[in-house]
Amino acid sequence: MSDLMPYDEAVEKFDPVFGLEVHVELGTATKMFCGCSTVFGAEPNTQTCPTCLGMPGALPVVNELGVEGAIRIGLALNCSIAPWSRFARKNYFYPDMPKNFQTSQYDEPICFDGYLDVEVDGETIRVGIERAHMEEDTGKSLHVGGATGRIQGASHSLVDYNRAGIPLIEIVTKPVEGIGARTPQVARAVVGEIREIVRGLGVSEARMERGQLRCDANLSLRRSPDVPFGTRSETKNVNSLRSVERAFTYEIRRQAALLTDGGTVVQETRHFHEDNGSTTSGRIKEEAEDYRYFPEPDLVPVAPPAEWVQKLRAALPERPSERRRRLQSEWGFSDKDMASAVGAGAVDLIEATVAAGTTSDTARKWWLGELARRANENGLDLDAQGVTPAQIAELQSLVDSGRLNDKLARQVLEGVLAGEGSPTEVVQARGLEVVSDTGALSAAVDEAIAANPDVADKIRAGKVAAAGALVGAVMKATKGSADAKTVRDLILEKLGTV
Amino acid sequence: MSVITRAEVQHLAKLARIELTDDELDHYSGQLDVILSSIAQISEVAADDIPPTSHPLPLTNVMRPDQVRPSLPANDVLAGAPAAEQQRFRVPQILGDEQ
Amino acid sequence: MSDLTALTAAELGSKIASREVSSREVVDAHYDRIAKVDDKVHAFLHLDTEGARKQADEVDARIAKGEKLGPLAGVPLALKDVIVQKNVPTTAGSKILEGWRPPYDATVVKRLREAGIVILGKTNMDEFAMGSSTEHSAYGPTHNPWDLERIPGGSGGGSSAAVAARMAPLGIGTDTGGSIRQPGAVTGTVGMKPTYGGVSRHGLIAFSSSLDQAGPVTRNILDAALLHEVIGGHDPMDSTSIDAPVPPVVEAARAADVSGMRIGVVREFAGDGYQPDVSARVDEAVALLTKLGAEVVEVSCPHFVHALPAYYLIAPSECSSNLARFDAMRYGLRVGDDGTKSAEEVTSLTRAAGFGAEVKRRIMIGTYALSSGYYDAYYGQAQKVRTLITRDFEAAFEQVDVLVSPTTPTTAFKIGERVDDPMQMYFADLCTIPSNLSGGAAMSVPVGVDSNNLPVGLQVMAPAMADDRPYRVGAALEAALTEQWGGSLLSRAPELEESK
């Protein structure tokens, strides 16, 4: 691993320029060029046909909903929609790509020249969108025989083509400059915003942990804003919001150290490693890739009629920024609270939790408190932890009804995160219910009084505040399952202070 | 004058994933050169303002509805595979980058 | 029984429908003929005797039940091995697909089945349809029934030779640069390339996607039209398929009338390089058309001379991409997988072993023409020439209804004569390529023989979706020539069963 420069020093010495290529898997029922199902998690090679297996003689036919999804994404990104657009073949060999060319778009993309506004620390930053084009996904390989399941060191690979041919929209930003130290944060906000947009459009669930939204992070440094862009690196597999931020931070530190040492940045593909937040160089190619693009002769041009585009434009949902303003006022959040919710990617989660029955404040406390802490500890995005907004609402209703206290609620949450079922199921399975039955607690209280005669005396003498120590002893003895208020009332009653 | 060099033929063979022997390289260099030289006359035929034709028919917007059609049974999918394992295509080690 | 192989497909169809003979008898008669002559001709790569007999029996049973089937129900057919047929070996003439049994049927195959046409087997061809002689088949050459030392044309030499040698009354070919018409011309059969998009390409193993088109190979015009009607028409599985009814080809074949038609003779397709008695037969056919009431004029198509180089950029470019899928990962041949080699090495070794010289040559030309830095000068320029050729056609069709020319500059050459000289080989497609580039319909009609008793073909070219016009011209010529000759041209071919 090359040396890293401290971040503050790096961004002081250099001006970072970044770009993103975001791939969104559309949630269509069928693949882009054939009628195979796209349902996630099917048995290997059960959602394939001659077309998506690249068998001799098979031909592609465009999925209309895939084109519609592309146009709607383009419109939401303020792009122009090309009145005439074509597919092209991108030729290169790779075992998980059945035809050894990817059906994509080249110089005639369906959407081009748009922009996206993101809010970071209360400031709105406009990011240019170069293009959004249609293409198809590849199959998935399982690398066997190596130590880590990674491609390096594997003896062979096993390929499943269920994913091959699923529609992808590739969104490419223009270079973003002048952001300085906030580069990683802004990049993260851009990916988060795109995720919110595509979810709002209903064109993709955009679950990053399932690969439904993936991104490549491009970064270059230069000494000052008035000189041309430096050489960029392209980091692949940056597949969570948190990783976007970490990958850019790492690359800024790495490139800064390299350039300061008199080295040069190589234009190369790099890989991001979730475990330690580093990037490493991909295989150095002996020769530059030559994709030999040419118009796909098996498909005819897509020329979306103006009326169609107009209809899709008119039916666009509210923009994320408008929606955020509406939600902020509905929820009564301060600007600061709203900004943290946006930054953490929690807006959808809070909205869904409120819809499931909690107050907005409660939802915010859960997602930005306990859950944000855990996500951070485990290096996961908030929504990738395995707990749903509905479960959080259920948990809160157990607290509200007095069946759980805060401590127990956290234990229940642990059970839910461990996959033990819904909060109610975890409560039952783990036997985690608050005990507020005075009969059951009476003995524990008597024991606590007997064990702490001096404290008991103080309370008898009117120092009611000292009761806390006895409550603590009872809680300890009951392993937290007692209802604290009931215990306190019982202590005071037994010591004759009420 | 030669249009294409032996080194270029080697590069093309690599791009096209065809292993060529030295003899074949010599043979193809000569033949491709003859073919490409005689084809090269084409570069002067059309003026800049002539649009290219990539498709003989002026069709546009041929699309299908997003309706699921049955896939092939996995047995049929793998029947012709040179090697299969765990209902997947078994392929030799991939030396490249993770996609 | 053996005279069943001398009948036309239409005649066989009506005899089967009237139960004068059974489909099974007709199929068996053709298998008998194959057994007797195909060791000399080598038209077939695979015979599906079991499947064909089963299908024939089904047709017979349906007819016995009184079902009304199409005019070709029960008639056998030879299918070019570039079209996939479910569970039947399909190789496209290549080692790389040896042993592959496709898990699906091509649309053409489905339509043949629906019409009750019985597929006898798969016919030989130049590997992946790249060639003009069928010598580039990985499974050995096919011989011309007119002279076994000569080529039957290509790439679809197998289908044309099978039809010419009465091993099948019907054949299917595919035509990318002339692969139906040129074999038709040199074997004395009818070969029709429909309008691009007129017949589905779904299940046709792609050579050059923007040029490939499947079509009928028969011994007479009416059979071609009947078969054309079966396989033609819109297919939602092929995005480039024309969504319109098949032009009235059968009506045109039956009408056989050229009175009042305007016919243009392509000026550029004559002179140096054209065998004199090929030009003579073409001139005589043109004179005959005048006599039959057509108005004949000479037409210039100045860009047609550039069709050949444009084609030899476009077709290899597309094929370099289309054939990339043969990588030893999912189907077909795999070579060198000894556990130490990478996927990349195994792919390269397999393609080296599995592809023949001509396929490799074209893949490399195409890879070159598409690579960065050369695209504009080669592929891009070829696409512009394509526009110019299409404009030549458009200008010509303002004056005339069809254009005519020799189908091929020479009659059948000897096996081995051009196989090491790609440029000479490519020259065989000089006259047929313009129609592929423009997408129009074109047919080769037998119009006589040369001094060596080798067939000569006349090419009739029409605008896109005017497929009926070549049938009108072809049928009129056929009727007049048959009368003039006192029988069909093919009756002058040597009788293979007696020779050697």
Side-chain angles (χ1 to χ4, degrees):
Chain A
M1 198 185 290
S2 67
D3 291 332
L4 301 178
M5 181 181 281
Y7 187 75
D8 292 345
E9 192 187 337
V11 290
E12 190 172 320
K13 280 190 172 165
F14 293 96
D15 179 40
V17 178
F18 81 93
L20 289 163
E21 286 163 33
V22 178
H23 290 88
V24 179
E25 253 188 17
L26 292 184
T28 48
T30 68
K31 296 185 178 181
M32 191 65 202
F33 302 114
C34 67
C36 285
S37 166
T38 59
V39 170
F40 185 83
E43 288 296 304
N45 294 304
T46 54
Q47 292 175 171
T48 57
C49 73
T51 295
C52 59
L53 289 166
M55 279 193 178
L59 295 175
V61 186
V62 170
N63 183 342
E64 184 171 17
L65 203 59
V67 176
E68 187 179 296
I71 295 174
R72 295 182 66 221
I73 288 175
L75 291 171
L77 294 172
N78 306 292
C79 287
S80 301
I81 306 303
W84 201 84
S85 140
R86 268 198 302 196
F87 287 97
R89 292 187 183 179
K90 181 181 183 182
N91 294 287
Y92 65 101
F93 282 82
Y94 206 88
D96 66 13
M97 198 166 59
K99 297 167 291 182
N100 288 314
F101 60 79
Q102 183 187 34
T103 307
S104 180
Q105 297 198 282
Y106 180 50
D107 51 354
E108 298 156 301
I110 183 130
C111 313
F112 59 96
D113 207 12
Y115 64 85
L116 177 66
D117 287 333
V118 292
E119 285 164 51
V120 174
D121 297 338
E123 189 193 332
T124 300
I125 295 161
R126 179 158 290 190
V127 171
I129 302 293
E130 178 83 37
R131 57 191 283 156
H133 73 244
M134 302 178 275
E135 57 183 37
E136 57 179 337
D137 212 341
T138 58
K140 249 182 155 165
S141 299
L142 211 64
H143 305 298
V144 185
T148 55
R150 281 189 173 273
I151 197 162
Q152 286 82 13
S155 66
H156 62 278
S157 300
L158 301 176
V159 193
D160 167 14
Y161 292 102
N162 281 350
R163 200 182 67 179
I166 289 185
L168 286 181
I169 305 302
E170 179 175 334
I171 300 162
V172 183
T173 69
K174 291 180 179 162
V176 184
E177 36 183 323
I179 306 295
R182 287 187 303 171
T183 290
Q185 205 188 345
V186 172
R188 176 188 175 135
V190 171
V191 179
E193 185 78 7
I194 289 175
R195 187 173 71 169
E196 220 174 309
I197 287 173
V198 298
R199 283 181 179 167
L201 289 168
V203 295
S204 173
E205 286 184 55
R207 290 175 64 171
M208 296 183 82
E209 79 281 8
R210 282 189 177 179
Q212 291 164 341
L213 190 146
R214 322 195 274 270
C215 83
D216 301 339
N218 301 333
L219 181 95
S220 66
L221 296 183
R222 53 182 171 178
R223 299 263 172 196
S224 90
D226 6 287
V227 301
F229 294 162
T231 307
R232 67 188 168 91
S233 66
E234 182 180 347
T235 306
K236 300 265 188 191
N237 306 333
V238 190
N239 294 335
S240 71
L241 293 180
R242 187 168 170 274
S243 299
V244 171
E245 203 168 338
R246 292 170 81 209
F248 275 114
T249 305
Y250 185 90
E251 271 303 290
I252 289 170
R253 296 179 60 195
R254 183 187 72 86
Q255 290 188 17
L258 191 63
L259 292 169
T260 306
D261 283 352
T264 48
V265 174
V266 191
Q267 177 149 5
E268 63 178 356
T269 296
R270 298 184 68 84
H271 297 284
F272 180 71
H273 304 285
E274 293 276 353
D275 46 359
N276 60 10
S278 72
T279 71
T280 54
S281 176
R283 188 174 66 134
I284 304 289
K285 297 209 172 66
E286 293 153 49
E287 290 151 44
E289 282 288 0
D290 184 348
Y291 294 122
R292 290 161 285 134
Y293 281 102
F294 72 104
E296 164 59 283
D298 285 330
L299 293 170
V300 302
V302 174
E307 315 83 73
W308 189 29
V309 175
Q310 200 39 52
K311 211 178 103 196
L312 295 176
R313 191 193 298 277
L316 284 181
E318 87 192 306
R319 284 172 189 282
S321 56
E322 291 162 12
R323 172 166 165 262
R324 283 193 294 265
R325 269 191 288 282
R326 171 175 60 78
L327 289 174
Q328 186 180 352
S329 97
E330 278 174 26
W331 294 342
F333 281 10
S334 67
D335 286 352
K336 191 172 163 246
D337 284 347
M338 195 64 196
S340 340
V342 172
V347 174
D348 290 349
L349 297 166
I350 292 172
E351 189 187 26
T353 309
V354 170
T358 74
T359 66
S360 55
D361 243 24
T362 304
R364 181 179 59 78
K365 278 178 192 148
W366 275 112
W367 289 106
L368 296 181
E370 181 68 13
L371 287 161
R373 188 181 60 74
R374 284 170 183 272
N376 200 37
E377 269 172 25
N378 298 319
L380 291 171
D381 281 344
L382 264 187
D383 62 346
Q385 301 188 90
V387 60
T388 64
Q391 287 169 334
I392 294 301
E394 186 185 334
L395 189 57
Q396 183 59 41
S397 81
L398 291 171
V399 173
D400 291 345
S401 67
R403 287 179 66 190
L404 293 178
N405 57 27
D406 285 354
K407 186 172 177 195
L408 285 175
R410 279 197 292 275
Q411 289 179 34
V412 171
L413 179 61
E414 244 160 45
V416 174
L417 291 171
E420 293 167 24
S422 71
T424 309
E425 283 161 0
V426 175
V427 164
Q428 278 162 6
R430 290 195 177 190
L432 293 173
E433 205 142 357
V434 163
V435 181
S436 47
D437 172 12
T438 48
L441 291 174
S442 184
V445 169
D446 289 345
E447 268 174 45
I449 290 169
N452 300 283
D454 46 336
V455 180
D457 285 346
K458 280 184 193 162
I459 297 168
R460 284 196 190 93
K463 286 189 75 175
V464 175
L470 290 184
V471 173
V474 173
M475 293 306 282
K476 199 177 168 191
T478 58
K479 296 195 173 77
S481 70
D483 179 53
K485 188 172 179 305
T486 310
V487 172
R488 185 186 164 86
D489 289 349
L490 212 54
I491 290 167
L492 297 181
E493 187 189 312
K494 284 186 192 262
L495 296 176
T497 49
V498 281
Chain B
M1 199 195 77
S2 145
V3 175
I4 187 162
T5 64
R6 194 173 186 277
E8 272 183 297
V9 175
Q10 191 150 28
H11 172 66
L12 294 176
K14 208 170 159 54
L15 269 180
R17 294 278 199 278
I18 300 174
E19 183 86 22
L20 291 184
T21 63
D22 281 353
D23 283 354
E24 283 177 311
L25 270 176
D26 291 334
H27 185 66
Y28 283 121
S29 302
Q31 282 194 335
L32 295 194
D33 199 55
V34 172
I35 297 167
L36 285 166
S37 303
S38 64
I39 285 174
Q41 48 142 309
I42 206 171
S43 60
E44 287 129 44
V45 177
D48 288 348
D49 60 344
I50 305 294
T53 297
S54 57
H55 198 275
L57 300 172
L59 296 172
T60 54
N61 296 336
V62 176
M63 300 188 225
R64 64 180 171 81
D66 185 34
Q67 279 160 12
V68 177
R69 293 171 55 97
S71 295
L72 288 173
N75 281 343
D76 285 5
V77 170
L78 293 157
E85 207 175 291
Q86 297 175 33
Q87 207 169 301
R88 293 172 171 89
F89 293 85
R90 183 187 161 129
V91 305
Q93 56 174 318
I94 303 168
L95 296 180
D97 294 332
E98 209 92 38
Q99 287 260 298
Chain C
M1 192 69 79
S2 72
D3 64 352
L4 283 177
T5 66
L7 298 178
T8 68
E11 287 164 351
L12 288 169
S14 68
K15 283 181 193 295
I16 292 166
S18 67
R19 301 179 69 189
E20 193 182 323
V21 290
S22 67
S23 170
R24 178 60 181 265
E25 285 171 297
V26 171
V27 165
D28 283 343
H30 284 90
Y31 278 132
D32 284 349
R33 174 75 178 167
I34 291 168
K36 283 178 186 142
V37 305
D38 203 36
D39 56 339
K40 299 178 189 120
V41 177
H42 188 44
F44 284 92
L45 292 178
H46 177 82
L47 295 175
D48 181 29
T49 46
E50 201 181 315
R53 287 185 172 130
K54 187 165 163 266
Q55 208 200 336
D57 290 345
E58 281 165 14
V59 169
D60 287 332
R62 288 173 67 187
I63 289 169
K65 275 195 286 180
E67 272 185 62
K68 181 95 179 80
L69 303 177
L72 296 177
V75 178
L77 173 140
L79 183 65
K80 188 177 180 182
D81 201 30
V82 75
I83 291 175
V84 305
Q85 187 181 355
K86 193 173 176 176
N87 291 330
V88 173
T90 300
T91 67
S94 181
K95 285 280 176 217
I96 213 159
L97 273 178
E98 193 166 14
W100 183 58
R101 288 171 185 263
Y104 77 107
D105 272 333
T107 298
V108 163
V109 170
K110 274 189 200 151
R111 292 193 175 164
L112 292 172
R113 280 191 212 289
E114 282 159 13
I117 294 172
V118 179
I119 302 170
L120 295 173
K122 309 296 288 290
T123 57
N124 201 10
M125 55 186 285
D126 285 298
E127 186 177 1
F128 288 107
M130 298 177 199
S132 310
S133 69
T134 316
E135 290 166 287
H136 294 307
S137 166
Y139 303 97
T142 296
H143 301 261
N144 192 324
W146 289 77
D147 177 347
L148 294 173
E149 288 177 5
R150 290 180 188 266
I151 59 105
S155 63
S159 284
S160 298
V163 169
R166 292 190 280 113
M167 291 186 268
L170 298 172
I172 295 283
T174 61
D175 192 314
T176 306
S179 289
I180 291 175
R181 290 162 287 159
Q182 183 257 1
V186 301
T187 60
T189 54
V190 175
M192 174 70 185
K193 181 198 92 72
T195 297
Y196 180 86
V199 176
S200 170
R201 290 186 298 116
H202 177 68
L204 191 174
I205 300 179
F207 160 19
S208 180
S209 311
S210 75
L211 302 167
D212 295 341
Q213 189 59 203
V217 174
T218 60
R219 289 196 291 270
N220 69 78
I221 304 287
L222 178 61
D223 286 356
L226 291 169
L227 183 55
H228 189 145
E229 204 162 58
V230 168
I231 60 174
H234 183 241
D235 177 17
M237 300 289 279
D238 174 0
S239 307
T240 62
S241 161
I242 296 169
D243 193 0
V246 181
V249 290
V250 174
E251 206 183 303
R254 291 195 198 280
D257 178 12
V258 291
S259 54
M261 258 183 117
R262 294 165 305 162
I263 293 174
V265 179
V266 180
R267 180 184 301 156
E268 286 75 12
F269 288 158
D272 282 354
Y274 289 80
Q275 192 180 312
D277 43 8
V278 166
S279 298
R281 291 305 91 73
V282 168
D283 291 346
E284 288 158 19
V286 168
L288 185 55
L289 286 168
T290 315
K291 224 175 95 187
L292 293 170
E295 183 191 320
V296 177
V297 292
E298 197 177 74
V299 173
S300 173
C301 297
H303 296 98
F304 279 16
V305 294
H306 302 296
L308 191 68
Y311 173 85
Y312 277 98
L313 289 169
I314 293 168
S317 296
E318 292 183 7
C319 95
S320 71
S321 173
N322 282 330
L323 270 58
R325 69 191 62 204
F326 300 103
D327 62 357
M329 299 295 125
R330 290 162 300 282
Y331 43 76
L333 188 69
R334 179 181 285 184
V335 170
D337 184 15
D338 58 6
T340 69
K341 294 193 176 65
S342 67
E344 183 173 336
E345 288 170 305
V346 168
T347 297
S348 298
L349 288 168
T350 302
R351 289 163 68 82
F355 288 147
E358 182 62 18
V359 172
K360 291 179 194 171
R361 217 160 16 233
R362 295 206 197 184
I363 288 175
M364 288 203 289
I365 293 172
T367 305
Y368 180 78
L370 289 177
S371 52
S372 65
Y374 297 110
Y375 182 96
D376 289 340
Y378 287 104
Y379 188 74
Q381 193 65 19
Q383 301 280 43
K384 290 182 172 186
V385 171
R386 196 170 184 175
T387 306
L388 294 174
I389 286 164
T390 303
R391 288 181 183 174
D392 276 3
F393 270 116
E394 283 166 1
F397 289 132
E398 278 177 19
Q399 302 174 53
V400 297
D401 299 310
V402 294
L403 288 171
V404 297
S405 76
T407 305
T408 181
T410 68
T411 55
F413 47 88
K414 290 215 160 124
I415 290 174
E417 199 177 297
R418 298 188 188 177
V419 75
D420 290 322
D421 188 347
M423 286 313 293
Q424 269 300 307
M425 186 72 91
Y426 299 167
F427 195 63
D429 296 331
L430 192 66
C431 308
T432 45
I433 284 171
S435 285
N436 296 93
L437 293 175
S438 74
M443 177 188 275
S444 179
V445 187
V447 289
V449 292
D450 70 358
S451 54
N452 292 319
N453 196 40
L454 295 169
V456 173
L458 174 83
Q459 178 178 221
V460 186
M461 296 170 272
M465 289 311 280
D467 298 45
D468 50 320
R469 294 185 201 168
Y471 283 99
R472 273 175 71 186
V473 176
L477 268 179
E478 181 182 75
L481 287 169
T482 308
E483 200 185 316
Q484 196 176 307
W485 298 329
S488 75
L489 188 71
L490 276 162
S491 61
R492 296 199 222 167
E495 179 40 70
L496 296 164
E497 287 188 44
E498 291 160 2
S499 65
K500 296 196 182 163

